[in-house]
Amino acid sequence: MALTSQAAHADPKPTKSEVKAKVDKLYHEAEEATEKYNGAKEQQDKLKKQADALQDKVARGQDELNTLRGELGSLATAQYRSGGLDPSVQLLLSSDPDSFLDQASALDQ
């Protein structure tokens, strides 16, 4: 049986000052990581507030849009039932109000 003669090399035990330096370094790294986490958390909170505000604004805009659609639908229904636009609306939308009034006067006669 062949035996190899290798000396076992154990790492030397660190001194108290080396251990303290290593612990201090780890605390410093942990502190930096905590600061980065806190900064990211603050940014996330800020962005969440902005997103919530935008969602609220969109919801209010959607409500307003739905209200306007309902009003427009009612106006369209009324126009359909009455046979056309109200003359005052036609006058407001006319590109030449004088011509519109002349035509209206001729139709009345």
Side-chain angles (χ1 to χ4, degrees):
M1 187 175 207
L3 295 176
T4 59
S5 61
Q6 289 184 353
H9 293 290
D11 290 335
K13 289 188 176 183
T15 64
K16 287 183 182 180
S17 62
E18 291 174 336
V19 171
K20 183 180 181 323
K22 180 71 172 177
V23 169
D24 288 345
K25 180 182 176 192
L26 291 173
Y27 273 127
H28 180 70
E29 290 174 1
E31 188 177 305
E32 287 179 350
T34 300
E35 288 175 9
K36 286 181 183 179
Y37 170 80
N38 289 339
K41 180 75 171 138
E42 287 176 15
Q43 183 70 13
Q44 177 193 12
D45 292 344
K46 180 181 174 184
L47 292 174
K48 182 165 181 4
K49 285 180 184 178
Q50 288 177 350
D52 290 345
L54 289 173
Q55 285 178 335
D56 185 53
K57 187 175 180 180
V58 167
R60 282 185 273 126
Q62 188 65 44
D63 287 343
E64 184 178 347
L65 179 63
N66 291 339
T67 299
L68 291 174
R69 281 182 179 162
E71 291 173 3
L72 182 60
S74 296
L75 180 63
T77 301
Q79 289 175 357
Y80 176 76
R81 288 183 181 155
S82 68
L85 288 173
D86 182 74
S88 60
V89 174
Q90 289 178 348
L91 177 60
L92 288 173
L93 297 176
S94 174
S95 60
D96 184 9
D98 290 331
S99 173
F100 174 80
L101 291 174
D102 290 342
Q103 291 174 359
S105 175
L107 285 175
D108 281 343
Q109 292 177 2

